[in-house]
Amino acid sequence: MREKKNSTIKLIALGGVGEMGKNMHLVEVDKDIFVVDAGLMFPEDEMLGIDIVIPDITYLTENSDRVKAIFLTHGHEDHIGALSYVLRQLNVPVYGTRLTLALAKAKLKEQEYSGLTNFIEINSDSMLELDSVDVSFFRTNHSIPDSVGICFHTSEGAIVHTGDFKFDQAATELYKADIGKMANIGDSGVLCLLSDSTEAEKPGYTTSEAIVAREMCDAFYNAPGRVIAASFASDLIGIQHIFDAAYESGRKIAVVGKSLERIYHIALDLGYLHVKEEIIIPISEIKDHADKEIVVLTTGSQGEPIEALQKMARQAHKQVNIEKGDTVLIAASPLKGSELFISKTVDMLFRAGANVISGKRMIHASSHGSQEELKFMINLMKPKLFIPVHGEYRMLKSHVKVAKSCGLTDQQIYIAEKGETVEIKDGKFQPGAKVPSGNILIDGSGVGDVGNIVLRDRKLLSEDGILIVVVTLTRRERKIVSGPEIISRGFVYVRESEKLMEDSEKLVREIVEKNISKDSFDWSSLKQDMRDGLNRSLYEKTKRRPMILPIIMEV
Amino acid sequence: MREKKNSTIKLIALGGVGEMGKNMHLVEVDKDIFVVDAGLMFPEDEMLGIDIVIPDITYLTENSDRVKAIFLTHGHEDHIGALSYVLRQLNVPVYGTRLTLALAKAKLKEQEYSGLTNFIEINSDSMLELDSVDVSFFRTNHSIPDSVGICFHTSEGAIVHTGDFKFDQAATELYKADIGKMANIGDSGVLCLLSDSTEAEKPGYTTSEAIVAREMCDAFYNAPGRVIAASFASDLIGIQHIFDAAYESGRKIAVVGKSLERIYHIALDLGYLHVKEEIIIPISEIKDHADKEIVVLTTGSQGEPIEALQKMARQAHKQVNIEKGDTVLIAASPLKGSELFISKTVDMLFRAGANVISGKRMIHASSHGSQEELKFMINLMKPKLFIPVHGEYRMLKSHVKVAKSCGLTDQQIYIAEKGETVEIKDGKFQPGAKVPSGNILIDGSGVGDVGNIVLRDRKLLSEDGILIVVVTLTRRERKIVSGPEIISRGFVYVRESEKLMEDSEKLVREIVEKNISKDSFDWSSLKQDMRDGLNRSLYEKTKRRPMILPIIMEV
């Protein structure tokens, strides 16, 4: 505990609560603001055409002089993927472990960020003595090595952010949590614990990676021909299992997919992935070996590994296609919203002659702790106050129940909404004002320029298409000199709808002529009449409502 | 078995194999074609703006004089929902049980079909003596009463189509399968069995409805305040459980949602739903009772019940909104592709203060039999030949394994693709030619007029929107007299992109002027140049690719 008394302690989530992804939590001590993680979120269904989503950091840019540091808990995209956007607006040092910083740097490069960076490597023994607080770290067990939790030591006790974690008692050296250190932090007095809620709805313990490793090995042994394994590049432990199972079962392994190349090489170079070099072969050489001696590993971020499998099933992959007798392992849990996509892919793989091993066998484990592990964290940290983070609302809610079962009371627990300032005063929560928070949508190179209006238009366009009416009038006499011409896209198949188009043209002509003969003529009411008339007539004939866009040209 | 020898027996699936929905199987005996079911499918993600999907019935219309009957196995939309479209093209009698025909009639009305119908009610004792075959029926156990399997008696043995089924040993009278009759059919010689594959991937037995009823009752007893129950209208047994649990727990029940109204009244009138009248109250009266005495039942087809819950959570429902202390039961399995939508809804409900009971408690059972039940059907029917139907490819594939475990050999089993003609000759499968089959998309009142081009355009429009360029030229001198004018929708927020629009106008003007000064001027290359130029320039500036639509008007 610090001797210098801290006057104010505030916590604000800019992302990651009430949603999965774009994790970013602020810890404010006195005048200083510390940022834990800068993650991205992948767009949801209704965000048509959007590439990624990042947190709104208005609060940080408005208080830029107070922002002292960004701490990264680990190298997953939902924790580091917004960093380039933050650094474009804030010049602030970034702290992280060796692998995390290496992956963050690679991500910055991928996102074409070429500005200044001040990256400071820490390890779990580091102790930073900053102006308002001391900061220390503790190793956690997650699906990627070098994951840490962060501890802000204030005069009132420690503020602990767990990062993502589980407690796999069979974890290998690279993945081991430092339970002793956590216990010490707990003994020295934790004021508030912010803890990962991802699997708070799941009773018991998360399946051990040791079981996954064994199942994977079994599957490799029993596969009658080639093994095609698909996995997310960020799930380094899963990739480790695949390499290990290949080695154990006497198979060579060829890697396809560009995202893997990056993470894989970084992890390999830094010693976070252990592979016998001799089992790796270029994809071009798989034909030189018996089918029973081959593993093809396909990977990437988000949908990429599954898209690659689809291509292989459709015999459209550039490097390798599914053959009868192949065994496909999908070593990943489907992301919410991608279930249909995965089940279609599985169908295509079966059709192509493969056997598919997915969800039902234990070839993949969650990278987050279930209820008993969450209790373990609470019991180690013995916090005075508790805030569930990293999860959708029902997960946070479920985590509250878990915390209560450990003896915490309602007064000690708080579900903070996104953007809500929560002050800790005299050992109690004091909810405060809201700061700007929300989704900044990134589409192409545009950051935040796609908002509700554009999305609403995309939605309308996606449902019934668009119908454009152009007519050229003379300015003075208001005479039609060209058109009306009608063009549609995404509405009806035009070649089979000539009558509909002709009728529409006729209708527009009538509307225009009626309008221009009026004394009280004006452009906007002509356009409105065209819209209304067409809307009514098209709905009557087709029961569809395309977007209608009247364009009047003057000469 | 018939004495008159049948010369040819063919089977063709026009839907329902390799997909979920739009079930339609043809049984051809000699010159006669019999149709089993005429179902619809709900559109998949990529079918933007489509309302429903029906089978391609070209083969039937081209052989309309040979089509003798449509048999409906039960009243679910994936079995009766395409009937109005079939009857618009074919004048053919429709056979079904009492409830099935009543629901089919209601569906015809809903789909505004007012043509001729020749509906013939059958029951499970009916025996139809038709020209080429005799047809009998057997009662099956499903989530809606009056479900039957169909048996075509040919001189070579019976062709049996199971319809949808499970074997719930605790089924109540209305839902009981006629196992004795099935055994008799099996004993008299089954040439080919076509059997429901929906749950062929699931080991063991499907959860009994008796367990669901008990869990439902428990949940109603334990709910501290109101119960809001959501269920699909077609899942009549689920609705029966809710009524029973309300009665048992001393609650009144109010019903919201229009689809229920229909199915519910039909089922109630015909005696297929048993409800104590006194427990039903209008929704306006729920305030007259204590919260602990209330159940609100919301229902409908497809997403409707969940949409209603969302509205209630957002406090935007016309009749009833979520209050703190409500218990929400989602008594339905999420349809593939709607998982995200449901999980969002659950989050909103929790936020609104409700407790939500869904997937994890057994308040809903599958309406299809698991592997042990599928084996039971095979063992009852003892078919010479076997075709798995009603399921995606991997389910059919899994059903094949199940059939093999019952002793059937590869030669006895055939996975028929959609549209594939499978002849049965000398007790063996003879795969034959393909007939037209596929998805007919229905959008508004258009049947089949939305094809790949329109869908592709909708997809493009949904991703980056559209940019329209209009320019008016004089016909002779080819001079710009108006424009270029640029309008966009769904691309960028125009008010914040003035510079981009101005630059684009300038670019178009340059392109037009360069083109019209050429000797070899022609319209199509001008348009192409506009498209290419804008495409390049916009991608460079925004990394987006809106659809670009150049329109040239002549005066």
Side-chain angles (χ1 to χ4, degrees):
Chain A
M1 226 174 271
R2 306 245 314 178
E3 291 180 20
K4 209 174 98 188
K5 177 102 179 141
N6 295 118
S7 55
T8 55
I9 299 169
K10 286 181 190 168
L11 301 166
I12 306 172
L14 291 186
V17 298
E19 65 192 9
M20 287 306 288
K22 67 184 180 63
N23 294 288
M24 179 180 275
H25 224 105
L26 312 186
V27 178
E28 287 193 43
V29 182
D30 300 343
K31 289 277 156 236
D32 294 349
I33 299 176
F34 305 101
V35 182
V36 178
D37 289 330
L40 61 74
M41 184 164 80
F42 291 100
E44 294 173 342
D45 278 1
E46 71 271 26
M47 300 177 187
L48 296 169
I50 296 303
D51 300 322
I52 62 170
V53 186
I54 59 167
D56 182 340
I57 57 164
T58 307
Y59 181 73
L60 293 180
T61 52
E62 283 176 355
N63 295 282
S64 57
D65 52 323
R66 293 171 52 208
V67 183
K68 299 301 174 195
I70 297 172
F71 296 99
L72 303 176
T73 58
H74 62 286
H76 282 160
E77 292 186 292
D78 56 335
H79 293 259
I80 65 167
L83 191 60
S84 72
Y85 302 95
V86 177
L87 292 180
R88 279 184 183 112
Q89 303 200 48
L90 291 175
N91 179 16
V92 52
V94 177
Y95 295 83
T97 55
R98 196 148 158 252
L99 178 61
T100 304
L101 289 188
L103 292 173
K105 273 177 203 159
K107 193 78 199 168
L108 291 187
K109 202 172 156 196
E110 186 193 313
Q111 291 174 342
E112 295 175 3
Y113 174 79
S114 53
L116 285 175
T117 53
N118 177 9
F119 276 20
I120 301 162
E121 189 179 310
I122 53 98
N123 62 42
S124 59
D125 293 328
S126 304
M127 168 63 94
L128 311 174
E129 295 181 15
L130 305 178
D131 266 2
S132 53
V133 291
D134 297 342
V135 183
S136 69
F137 307 88
F138 53 94
R139 292 182 59 179
T140 54
N141 166 226
H142 190 43
S143 58
I144 187 167
D146 247 13
S147 295
V148 294
I150 303 176
C151 189
F152 298 88
H153 301 271
T154 78
S155 63
E156 311 304 300
I159 306 290
V160 176
H161 192 298
T162 63
D164 293 6
F165 76 94
K166 56 179 174 176
F167 283 108
D168 184 357
Q169 297 308 315
T172 51
E173 200 48 51
L174 267 178
Y175 291 88
K176 260 200 196 338
D178 193 343
I179 299 175
K181 187 160 189 184
M182 293 184 205
N184 288 340
I185 293 169
D187 288 342
S188 68
V190 172
L191 177 61
C192 185
L193 174 67
L194 297 94
S195 183
D196 173 6
S197 311
T198 314
E199 293 289 10
E201 294 178 289
K202 209 155 78 186
Y205 293 88
T206 295
T207 307
S208 169
E209 296 289 350
I211 292 174
V212 175
R214 204 173 57 211
E215 283 279 318
M216 189 77 84
C217 234
D218 276 4
F220 277 45
Y221 267 118
N222 294 329
R226 304 188 304 178
V227 168
I228 318 277
S231 150
F232 292 126
S234 59
D235 183 26
L236 266 184
I237 196 160
I239 290 171
Q240 183 71 61
H241 292 323
I242 292 168
F243 278 111
D244 291 348
Y247 181 73
E248 286 291 320
S249 59
R251 290 172 183 262
K252 304 283 178 195
I253 189 162
V255 177
V256 296
K258 71 177 169 0
S259 286
L260 177 75
E261 301 277 308
R262 182 165 53 75
I263 297 192
Y264 161 71
H265 283 298
I266 292 169
L268 206 62
D269 287 352
L270 299 180
Y272 292 100
L273 198 56
H274 296 148
V275 187
K276 304 262 180 226
E277 291 278 348
E278 68 266 26
I279 69 164
I280 300 178
I281 57 169
I283 190 80
S284 56
E285 286 178 16
I286 57 173
K287 283 282 160 224
D288 304 342
H289 299 266
D291 285 352
K292 182 106 186 104
E293 288 167 10
I294 287 297
V295 176
V296 175
L297 171 59
T298 171
T299 182
S301 77
Q302 274 294 79
E304 283 169 19
I306 312 298
E307 274 163 30
L309 288 181
Q310 273 210 4
K311 272 196 189 147
M312 291 179 192
R314 286 203 318 266
Q315 309 293 311
H317 196 277
K318 277 180 201 154
Q319 299 169 300
V320 58
N321 287 308
I322 298 297
E323 295 168 6
K324 210 169 142 59
D326 285 348
T327 300
V328 178
L329 279 92
I330 303 181
S333 311
L335 299 164
K336 270 265 151 37
S338 69
E339 293 89 348
L340 186 67
F341 181 58
I342 291 188
S343 97
K344 290 226 149 227
T345 308
V346 171
D347 246 44
M348 292 166 74
L349 291 164
F350 269 118
R351 248 176 231 277
N355 183 30
V356 184
I357 299 177
S358 62
K360 273 155 208 186
R361 290 280 292 276
M362 287 192 179
I363 53 166
H364 183 256
S366 170
S367 49
H368 302 267
S370 302
Q371 291 177 353
E372 297 308 307
E373 290 154 274
L374 301 181
K375 290 178 194 169
F376 192 39
M377 180 61 87
I378 293 170
N379 290 332
L380 280 170
M381 292 294 173
K382 297 175 285 184
K384 276 193 198 144
L385 300 171
F386 178 79
I387 295 180
V389 298
H390 203 289
E392 293 171 24
Y393 192 80
R394 64 182 188 287
M395 302 168 189
L396 306 181
K397 198 83 185 165
S398 196
H399 205 170
V400 168
K401 274 193 200 164
V402 169
K404 281 190 185 171
S405 77
C406 294
L408 289 164
T409 63
D410 278 329
Q411 285 69 41
Q412 293 176 287
I413 304 173
Y414 194 80
I415 296 186
E417 297 275 353
K418 206 158 46 180
E420 195 180 358
T421 306
V422 184
E423 190 168 348
I424 297 178
K425 205 154 192 159
D426 306 325
K428 282 186 194 136
F429 286 122
Q430 286 203 337
K434 275 245 183 191
V435 308
S437 68
N439 292 331
I440 302 295
L441 308 182
I442 296 183
D443 182 8
S445 57
V447 178
D449 65 334
V450 171
N452 286 336
I453 296 175
V454 173
L455 283 185
R456 196 203 52 202
D457 282 351
R458 286 183 185 174
K459 176 117 176 69
L460 284 175
L461 290 167
S462 78
E463 283 169 354
D464 284 327
I466 189 169
L467 189 116
I468 301 146
V469 198
V470 193
V471 58
T472 308
L473 301 180
T474 51
R475 194 164 297 135
R476 301 249 186 87
E477 314 92 42
R478 300 198 306 248
K479 239 182 65 200
I480 300 179
V481 286
S482 178
E485 196 158 323
I486 293 191
I487 300 114
S488 84
R489 287 290 184 276
F491 168 48
V492 290
Y493 188 49
V494 178
R495 291 212 188 148
E496 287 172 3
S497 311
E498 280 173 20
K499 175 90 172 59
L500 183 70
M501 292 300 158
E502 277 165 23
D503 287 352
S504 300
E505 265 177 42
K506 226 177 97 192
L507 176 70
V508 171
R509 186 176 292 277
E510 283 165 20
I511 291 171
V512 174
E513 274 165 1
K514 200 169 150 202
N515 261 272
I516 53 186
S517 66
K518 273 190 216 162
D519 287 338
S520 61
F521 172 84
D522 75 284
W523 298 112
S524 67
S525 66
L526 169 57
K527 282 189 182 177
Q528 193 57 50
D529 284 358
M530 285 160 80
R531 250 192 296 263
D532 291 347
L534 279 172
N535 214 329
R536 207 173 307 124
S537 143
L538 294 173
Y539 185 74
E540 201 175 280
K541 286 171 188 146
T542 66
K543 294 273 186 295
R544 294 178 205 167
R545 298 193 185 283
M547 182 185 282
I548 291 166
L549 205 64
I551 302 174
I552 302 167
M553 305 288 285
E554 280 185 310
V555 294
Chain B
M1 224 174 271
R2 304 236 325 168
E3 290 180 19
K4 209 174 97 187
K5 177 104 178 140
N6 295 119
S7 56
T8 56
I9 300 170
K10 286 181 189 168
L11 300 167
I12 306 172
L14 291 185
V17 299
E19 65 193 7
M20 287 306 289
K22 66 184 181 65
N23 293 288
M24 179 179 274
H25 225 104
L26 312 186
V27 177
E28 287 193 42
V29 182
D30 300 343
K31 288 278 157 234
D32 295 348
I33 299 176
F34 306 102
V35 182
V36 178
D37 290 329
L40 61 73
M41 183 165 79
F42 290 100
E44 294 173 341
D45 278 1
E46 70 270 27
M47 300 177 186
L48 294 170
I50 296 303
D51 300 323
I52 62 172
V53 186
I54 60 169
D56 183 340
I57 57 164
T58 307
Y59 181 73
L60 293 180
T61 53
E62 283 175 356
N63 294 283
S64 57
D65 54 322
R66 293 171 52 209
V67 183
K68 298 302 174 197
I70 298 172
F71 296 98
L72 303 176
T73 59
H74 62 285
H76 282 159
E77 293 185 293
D78 57 336
H79 294 257
I80 64 168
L83 192 60
S84 71
Y85 302 95
V86 177
L87 292 181
R88 278 186 184 110
Q89 303 199 52
L90 290 175
N91 179 16
V92 54
V94 178
Y95 295 83
T97 55
R98 195 147 158 253
L99 178 60
T100 304
L101 289 188
L103 292 173
K105 275 177 201 158
K107 193 79 200 167
L108 292 186
K109 203 171 154 196
E110 185 193 313
Q111 291 175 340
E112 294 175 5
Y113 174 79
S114 53
L116 286 174
T117 54
N118 179 9
F119 275 21
I120 300 160
E121 189 180 310
I122 52 97
N123 61 41
S124 59
D125 294 329
S126 303
M127 169 63 93
L128 311 175
E129 295 181 14
L130 305 178
D131 267 5
S132 53
V133 291
D134 298 341
V135 183
S136 68
F137 308 87
F138 53 93
R139 294 182 56 180
T140 54
N141 167 225
H142 190 42
S143 60
I144 188 167
D146 248 14
S147 295
V148 294
I150 304 176
C151 188
F152 297 88
H153 302 269
T154 78
S155 63
E156 311 304 301
I159 306 291
V160 176
H161 192 297
T162 63
D164 293 7
F165 75 93
K166 56 179 174 176
F167 284 107
D168 182 357
Q169 297 308 314
T172 52
E173 201 49 50
L174 269 177
Y175 292 88
K176 263 202 195 334
D178 193 344
I179 299 175
K181 188 160 187 182
M182 294 184 204
N184 288 341
I185 293 168
D187 287 342
S188 68
V190 172
L191 176 61
C192 185
L193 174 67
L194 298 95
S195 186
D196 173 7
S197 312
T198 314
E199 294 289 9
E201 295 177 290
K202 209 154 78 188
Y205 292 89
T206 295
T207 307
S208 169
E209 296 288 350
I211 291 173
V212 174
R214 204 173 56 212
E215 282 279 320
M216 189 76 82
C217 235
D218 277 3
F220 277 45
Y221 268 119
N222 294 329
R226 304 188 304 180
V227 167
I228 319 278
S231 150
F232 291 127
S234 59
D235 182 26
L236 266 184
I237 196 160
I239 290 171
Q240 183 70 61
H241 292 324
I242 291 168
F243 278 111
D244 292 347
Y247 181 74
E248 287 288 323
S249 59
R251 291 172 182 263
K252 304 283 176 193
I253 190 162
V255 177
V256 295
K258 71 178 170 358
S259 287
L260 177 76
E261 301 279 310
R262 180 165 54 75
I263 297 192
Y264 162 70
H265 284 297
I266 291 169
L268 206 61
D269 287 353
L270 298 179
Y272 291 101
L273 199 56
H274 295 149
V275 187
K276 302 265 180 224
E277 290 279 348
E278 67 267 23
I279 69 164
I280 299 178
I281 58 170
I283 189 82
S284 56
E285 286 178 17
I286 57 173
K287 282 283 161 221
D288 304 340
H289 299 266
D291 284 353
K292 180 111 185 98
E293 288 167 11
I294 288 296
V295 176
V296 175
L297 171 58
T298 171
T299 181
S301 76
Q302 274 294 82
E304 284 168 18
I306 311 298
E307 274 162 30
L309 288 182
Q310 273 210 4
K311 273 195 189 146
M312 292 179 193
R314 286 204 318 267
Q315 308 293 310
H317 196 277
K318 276 180 202 153
Q319 299 169 299
V320 58
N321 286 309
I322 297 298
E323 296 168 6
K324 210 170 143 58
D326 285 348
T327 300
V328 177
L329 280 92
I330 302 181
S333 312
L335 300 163
K336 270 263 152 35
S338 69
E339 292 90 347
L340 187 66
F341 182 57
I342 292 189
S343 97
K344 291 225 149 227
T345 308
V346 172
D347 245 44
M348 293 166 72
L349 291 165
F350 268 119
R351 246 175 233 276
N355 184 31
V356 185
I357 299 177
S358 63
K360 273 156 207 187
R361 290 281 292 275
M362 288 193 178
I363 54 167
H364 183 257
S366 170
S367 50
H368 303 268
S370 302
Q371 290 177 353
E372 296 308 307
E373 291 154 270
L374 301 181
K375 291 178 192 169
F376 192 38
M377 180 61 89
I378 292 170
N379 290 332
L380 281 169
M381 292 295 174
K382 299 173 285 185
K384 276 193 200 145
L385 299 171
F386 177 79
I387 295 181
V389 298
H390 204 289
E392 293 171 22
Y393 193 80
R394 65 182 188 286
M395 302 169 189
L396 307 180
K397 200 83 184 164
S398 195
H399 205 170
V400 168
K401 275 193 199 163
V402 169
K404 282 190 185 171
S405 77
C406 294
L408 288 165
T409 63
D410 277 328
Q411 285 68 40
Q412 293 176 285
I413 304 173
Y414 195 80
I415 296 186
E417 298 274 353
K418 206 158 45 180
E420 196 180 356
T421 306
V422 183
E423 190 168 349
I424 298 179
K425 206 155 191 158
D426 306 326
K428 282 189 193 131
F429 287 122
Q430 287 205 336
K434 274 244 183 192
V435 308
S437 69
N439 292 330
I440 302 295
L441 308 183
I442 296 183
D443 183 8
S445 58
V447 177
D449 66 333
V450 171
N452 285 336
I453 295 175
V454 173
L455 284 185
R456 196 203 53 200
D457 283 350
R458 287 184 184 174
K459 177 118 175 70
L460 285 176
L461 290 167
S462 78
E463 282 169 354
D464 285 327
I466 188 167
L467 189 117
I468 301 146
V469 198
V470 193
V471 59
T472 309
L473 301 180
T474 51
R475 195 163 295 134
R476 303 249 186 87
E477 314 92 43
R478 299 200 304 250
K479 237 181 66 199
I480 299 179
V481 285
S482 178
E485 195 160 322
I486 292 191
I487 300 114
S488 84
R489 288 288 185 278
F491 168 48
V492 289
Y493 187 50
V494 179
R495 291 211 188 147
E496 288 172 2
S497 311
E498 280 172 21
K499 174 91 171 57
L500 183 70
M501 291 302 157
E502 277 165 24
D503 287 353
S504 301
E505 265 176 42
K506 225 177 100 192
L507 175 69
V508 172
R509 185 176 292 276
E510 282 166 19
I511 291 170
V512 174
E513 275 165 359
K514 199 170 151 201
N515 262 272
I516 52 187
S517 65
K518 273 190 218 163
D519 286 340
S520 61
F521 172 83
D522 75 283
W523 298 112
S524 67
S525 65
L526 169 56
K527 281 189 182 177
Q528 194 56 51
D529 285 358
M530 285 160 81
R531 251 192 296 261
D532 291 348
L534 280 172
N535 215 329
R536 207 174 307 123
S537 142
L538 293 174
Y539 185 74
E540 202 175 279
K541 286 171 187 146
T542 67
K543 293 275 188 296
R544 295 179 202 165
R545 298 194 186 281
M547 181 185 282
I548 292 166
L549 204 64
I551 302 173
I552 302 168
M553 305 288 285
E554 280 184 310
V555 294

